[in-house]
Every structure is written in structure tokens, then in C-alpha cells.
């Protein structure tokens, strides 16, 4: 079958012929891949800065944002049946008995770092025609979401973050109705989906972004009742004056410079959530005394969040349904390009044109 693979040793990205997998145990299912989303992580992997092939393989099949249709199920599969649409989780547990996180099914909090990730770390991904997986890693999606369900995985980043945020803010012994001013950094898919999640959670939202696509993104941001501020024309100081007290920052740019500029503007009892994995671009100057002083005197929390457990996939499936009901055009506008698998290598090398580009592996 066809698959898109990265060969780190010889620095190549190729369409390869890979053996089609078969069900090996009664708890596995086989699925035909429909859509695979391309994100910044994939671009890092295909520019050889990130990503590791499985042991013994020269290449890694990329792709971790999936939508697939179940074709066969083992006898003990309970979560899905043939014909169902599914989105697969990304991370698989480490092998160590001592890792309480992985042993509890919470490999998103793995202690050892020896977890694997499909399409990213030591496990083949989804940019191929068929996959076989344990049914516990499959999440069934209603068929009405067929055209947009590839957005579920990037939305899980916001879902896990929102859950962490709720846990953290339980420290405040009142319901935070008044303090719901959120700032989203970045207007890519993670940022815009995060803005939608914050909106339905009752936050006022401002999206601050540097981007060549202001108009499209501005339309989406206005449609969801949020405000867009362009970083090219307004400095961080100006933006912060316009927003007022910032209770929450949801970082989705993966660039540390802007993020650390914005930390200084976080309000009292505020939470700054990092989701981006920046490439290494060299040191920058940051006034650490200022930041440390504010973090202490204002009870602030700086929180990192990565990967997502199955219940965040369930939340993403439910919320994507809510989003598309409330804002049908804005949600569909997030997907700006669909390309066949034969064009995947060119799509990947062209960089981040559009918002979310999707490889439509089959119809
Ligand atoms: C994926 C996560 C993954 C992370 C780090 C992100 O792009 O969405 O599932 O854990 O990269 O590899
Ligand atoms: Zn991704």
C-alpha cells in the first residue's frame, strides 16, 4: 500500500510501498484511512528536526491527525464495528512497570519518556492506506462529522488544556464568572480551535497573531464572537492595553520570543498554557526577575500540556459537533486544502500555506 515516509538518515521524504497490515489479535481493528491532517509537527519531522522511525526501520510513516473507516474487527472488539468512522489516539504507553502514568492508561503524562507516538516517535503513523490498531485507541465519530472530523486530534490539544485549566483554577474558591478574559497566541488550527473551545467555555477571547492570512483568520475569529489583533500592526504592549486584564493565555504559536513577551502581561491569578514545541532558534533576552516577581506576587501558573487521553478525544468529538452547529462556515473554513496522497510530499515541502491542509487518502 502507499505510505508517506521520512528517511532521517538520508534526509528524504518519499511515497513508499509499505506492506498492508493485518489484524493480529482479537482486540484489534483494521481501518481504511480517509483523511490525515498536516501540522507543524509533521513539517518539523519532514525537515528532519524531530521524529524517530520504529526500531529496525529506515523510515517513519508520518501522520498523526487521523480519520479512518473501520473495515474489519477482531472477535473481542467492543468499541467499533465495520463502517464506523474513527479517530485514533496518538501516544502509546512506555514499557516500564514503574511508570504509574502509562500503567494507568495516561501515557500523556508518561514519566520515563519511553512512550511512542504514531507518526512521530518510533511507531508508524497514519499517512497510508490502512492501519491496524487496538480498539482501545479508536474513538468513534458520528457520520455527520465526516468532512471535518480530521480536526478532532488538533482539538484534543485544547481539550486536555481546558481540563488542566479547570483543575488549576479549582484553587480559586469562587466560580470564575468575572475573570474570563482569554488571549490566544497564534491563528493556526490549534489556536483557532482553542479559541472556539474557550468561547463555548464562556471566555471572552482575543486572538493575537502574526500571519499572512489575516482576512481569512479574522473572518473565522469574528464569526465565533472573538476579537482578532494583528501582531504586525499592534505591539504586545498595545494588544495588552486593548484586552485589559488577561486571565488565561493559550499559546499556540510555538515561538518562545512572543510567548515570553506576553507572560509579563498575564493578570493576577492568571494561567499561561504552553502547547507549542518550538524549534531551536538560539537564545533570546528575557527579563527573568520581572517574570519571577510577577509569577509570585500574582499567584500565576505556567502550565505545559502535551498529547491527550481518550476522554479528551471524546470531548473533542462532542465539541466539534457543537462548534459546527453554532459556526458552520467558520469551522469548515479551517480546512483550506485537500490533496491526494500522491501530492503529499509536495504539500509538505510547500510549508504552511492555508490553515489546515489535509491529505485525502481515500474518499
Ligand atoms: C501531537 C501530539 C504529540 C506532540 C508531541 C503534537 O503535534 O498532536 O499528539 O504528543 O505533537 O510529539
Ligand atoms: Zn499535529
Amino acid at each position: 500500500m502507499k505510505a508517506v515516509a521520512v528517511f532521517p538518515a538520508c534526509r528524504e521524504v518519499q511515497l513508499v510501498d509499505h506492506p498492508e497490515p493485518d489484524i493480529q489479535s482479537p482486540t484489534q481493528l483494521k481501518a481504511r484511512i480517509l483523511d490525515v491532517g498536516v501540522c507543524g509537527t509533521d513539517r518539523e519531522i519532514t525537515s528532519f528536526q524531530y521524529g524517530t522511525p520504529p526500531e529496525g526501520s529506515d523510515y517513519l510513516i508520518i501522520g498523526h491527525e487521523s480519520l479512518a473507516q473501520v473495515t474489519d474487527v477482531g472477535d473481542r472488539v467492543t468499541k467499533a464495528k465495520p463502517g464506523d468512522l474513527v479517530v485514533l489516539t496518538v501516544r502509546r504507553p512506555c514499557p516500564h512497570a514503574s511508570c504509574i502514568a502509562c500503567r494507568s492508561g495516561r501515557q500523556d503524562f508518561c514519566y520515563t519518556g519511553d512512550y511512542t507516538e504514531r507518526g512521530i516517535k518510533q511507531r508508524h503513523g497514519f499517512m497510508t492506506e490502512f492501519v491496524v490498531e487496538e480498539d482501545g485507541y479508536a474513538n468513534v465519530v458520528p457520520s455527520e462529522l465526516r468532512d471535518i472530523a480530521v480536526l478532532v486530534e488538533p482539538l484534543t490539544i485544547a481539550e486536555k488544556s481546558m481540563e488542566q485549566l479547570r483543575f488549576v483554577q479549582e484553587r480559586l474558591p469562587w466560580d470564575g464568572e468575572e475573570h474570563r478574559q482569554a488571549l490566544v497566541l497564534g491563528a493556526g488550527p490549534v489556536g483557532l480551535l482553542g479559541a472556539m473551545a474557550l468561547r463555548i467555555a464562556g471566555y471572552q477571547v482575543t486572538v493575537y497573531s502574526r500571519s499572512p492570512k489575516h482576512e481569512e483568520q479574522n473572518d473565522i475569529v469574528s464569526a465565533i464572537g472573538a476579537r482578532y489583533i494583528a501582531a504586525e500592526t499592534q505591539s504586545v504592549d498595545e494588544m495588552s492595553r486593548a484586552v485589559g486584564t488577561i486571565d488565561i493565555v493559550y499559546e499556540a504559536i510555538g515561538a518562545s520570543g512572543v510567548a515570553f513577551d506576553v507572560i509579563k502581561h498575564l493578570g493576577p491569578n492568571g494561567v499561561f498554557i504552553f502547547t507549542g514545541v518550538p524549534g531551536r532558534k538560539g537564545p533570546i533576552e528575557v527579563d527573568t526577575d520581572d517574570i519571577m516577581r510577577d509569577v509570585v506576587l500574582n499567584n500565576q501558573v505556567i502550565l505545559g500540556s502535551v498529547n491527550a487521553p481518550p476522554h479528551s478525544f471524546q470531548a473533542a468529538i462532542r465539541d466539534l459537533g457543537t462548534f459546527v452547529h453554532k459556526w458552520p462556515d467558520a469551522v469548515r473554513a479551517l480546512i483550506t486544502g485537500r490533496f491526494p496522497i500522491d501530492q503529499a510530499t509536495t504539500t509538505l515541502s510547500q510549508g504552511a500555506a492555508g490553515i489546515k491542509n489535509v491529505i485525502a487518502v481515500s474518499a
Side-chain angles (χ1 to χ4, degrees):
M1 64 178 183
K2 289 177 188 172
V4 179
V6 57
F7 292 75
C10 59
R11 299 172 74 89
E12 277 180 34
V13 184
Q14 284 177 24
L15 188 65
V16 298
D17 185 28
H18 186 81
E20 189 176 315
D22 283 317
I23 290 181
Q24 306 283 341
S25 93
T27 51
Q28 290 180 336
L29 55 79
K30 180 169 176 174
R32 180 194 307 279
I33 297 287
L34 304 177
D35 286 343
V36 183
V38 174
C39 78
T41 301
D42 299 305
R43 274 183 227 98
E44 294 247 309
I45 297 172
T46 55
S47 55
F48 321 106
Q49 299 175 48
Y50 192 54
T52 315
E55 228 168 84
S57 170
D58 294 340
Y59 60 85
L60 169 75
I61 299 177
I62 62 164
H64 59 274
E65 302 182 1
S66 63
L67 174 66
Q69 185 161 37
V70 177
T71 55
D72 296 286
V73 294
D75 296 338
R76 282 174 44 215
V77 167
T78 53
K79 290 239 167 76
K81 54 183 190 312
D84 282 351
L85 296 181
V86 289
V87 173
L88 304 166
T89 62
V90 178
R91 192 176 280 194
R92 304 292 170 260
C94 80
H96 307 291
S98 63
C99 183
I100 179 80
C102 287
R103 303 290 70 77
S104 320
R106 288 303 302 266
Q107 49 269 25
D108 58 309
F109 283 120
C110 176
Y111 279 98
T112 67
D114 289 338
Y115 59 83
T116 58
E117 289 182 336
R118 291 206 69 159
I120 301 175
K121 186 173 182 279
Q122 295 167 305
R123 216 174 257 272
H124 287 312
F126 307 131
M127 211 179 276
T128 183
E129 293 177 85
F130 289 95
V131 292
V132 165
E133 192 47 277
E134 293 296 324
D135 82 327
Y137 299 131
N139 302 280
V140 175
V141 176
S143 56
E144 308 88 83
L145 299 182
R146 162 66 182 92
D147 58 336
I148 50 168
V150 70
L151 298 173
V152 166
E153 197 279 342
L155 177 56
T156 63
I157 297 170
E159 296 293 354
K160 175 171 170 185
S161 302
M162 294 297 291
E163 184 184 50
Q164 299 303 303
L165 175 63
R166 284 192 299 273
F167 290 152
V168 169
Q169 293 306 58
E170 269 176 26
R171 67 194 176 137
L172 305 176
W174 49 80
D175 181 18
E177 283 305 312
E178 299 85 20
H179 293 284
R180 294 200 164 238
Q181 198 64 247
L183 174 69
V184 172
L185 297 181
V190 174
L192 293 171
L193 288 163
M196 292 179 184
L198 284 158
R199 284 296 293 142
I200 64 165
Y203 285 87
Q204 301 301 316
V205 176
T206 302
V207 177
Y208 185 61
S209 162
R210 179 165 305 167
S211 121
K213 292 262 166 192
H214 284 314
E215 263 163 52
E216 277 171 44
Q217 281 149 336
N218 202 342
D219 286 349
I220 296 173
V221 171
S222 326
I224 65 167
R227 168 162 57 170
Y228 188 90
I229 297 183
E232 286 87 347
T233 51
Q234 296 200 48
S235 68
V236 169
D237 284 330
E238 288 165 334
M239 175 275 291
S240 149
R241 272 198 296 278
V243 177
T245 304
I246 301 172
D247 299 303
I248 307 299
V249 178
Y250 182 70
E251 176 281 322
I253 37 172
S256 60
V258 188
F260 278 88
D261 262 353
V262 172
I263 283 189
K264 294 178 221 148
H265 298 271
L266 186 63
N269 311 323
V271 183
F272 191 107
I273 305 167
F274 277 109
T275 76
V277 184
R280 290 205 175 81
K281 295 186 197 80
I284 55 164
E285 222 168 88
V286 177
D287 190 336
T288 48
D289 281 346
D290 250 13
I291 294 177
M292 182 167 159
R293 190 188 156 88
D294 278 356
V295 167
V296 172
L297 294 180
N298 287 313
N299 298 289
Q300 293 165 338
V301 175
I302 297 175
L303 178 90
S305 179
V306 71
N307 201 258
H311 69 264
S312 296
F313 277 74
Q314 297 304 326
I317 293 165
R318 183 196 64 221
D319 285 349
L320 195 61
T322 308
F323 296 172
V324 76
H325 186 73
K326 277 175 90 88
W327 313 300
D329 296 338
V331 173
R332 295 211 167 82
L334 293 173
I335 298 181
T336 43
R338 297 186 98 89
F339 305 90
I341 194 167
D342 306 281
Q343 284 174 28
T345 56
T346 19
T347 308
L348 282 156
S349 65
Q350 272 159 6
I355 303 176
K356 174 59 76 187
N357 286 331
V358 171
I359 304 304
V361 180
S362 59

